[in-house]
Amino acid sequence: MTIFHKNGHITAEGFFLLVTEKADEMQRLELSEHLSFCDECLEQYLKEVEKITLLETEERLAKRVIKQVKHKTAFLLQKRFGTAVVAACISMLLWTSGAFSYEMILWQADNVERLEEGIEKIRWQNQNAFHNVSWKYHQIFDKLDRVR
């Protein structure tokens, strides 16, 4: 199959391959390169494209677009509804468990206060233990100094 005439212009077979997109990679490159500099073949190519109706009718296209929009809208609504249901379930679980009750807030405050008291007690115990160990080492070193 020849895609070029001897004079260098594209043949009818070449235009057919190009318009129907049946040309292989190399043929497409050669045809595209020729169309980039040959105005006569470019005009003929545009005429060939006009002859073939490649686009769908407006009615079919509109129906397809509406169908896709409806599908996407339904998907987004399901996603939002699912998120709202999960949030409501978590809220109900926390509410029924008493996480938002006044008693729970008081209990948490009481626990924080007891925790702070416990930390203060442990700090004093550690400080006293460190002081006692330090005092014992000081006494041992004093005895060692007297022995010498």
Side-chain angles (χ1 to χ4, degrees), residues 27-93:
Q27 289 172 334
R28 251 184 326 145
L29 288 172
E30 290 174 351
L31 291 167
S32 297
E33 182 182 351
H34 180 76
L35 288 175
S36 69
F37 66 84
C38 181
D39 293 335
E40 186 179 327
C41 288
L42 183 60
E43 284 180 38
Q44 183 63 34
Y45 170 71
L46 293 175
K47 287 177 187 175
E48 295 292 328
V49 168
E50 287 175 4
K51 289 178 188 176
I52 299 176
T53 306
L54 296 175
L55 298 176
E56 298 176 346
T57 62
E58 289 180 18
E59 201 172 290
R60 285 181 55 200
L61 182 63
K63 285 180 183 178
R64 200 171 87 216
V65 169
I66 289 171
K67 183 180 176 183
Q68 287 178 349
V69 168
K70 284 182 180 179
H71 177 63
K72 186 75 168 181
T73 303
F75 174 75
L76 290 175
L77 285 175
Q78 284 179 336
K79 188 175 176 184
R80 287 183 181 166
F81 180 74
T83 303
V85 167
V86 169
C89 289
I90 292 172
S91 297
M92 292 298 290
L93 180 68

Side-chain angles (χ1 to χ4, degrees), residues 18-33:
L18 192 60
V19 170
T20 59
E21 297 180 357
K22 293 184 178 180
D24 63 24
E25 186 71 26
M26 185 56 81
Q27 289 172 334
R28 251 184 326 145
L29 288 172
E30 290 174 351
L31 291 167
S32 297
E33 182 182 351

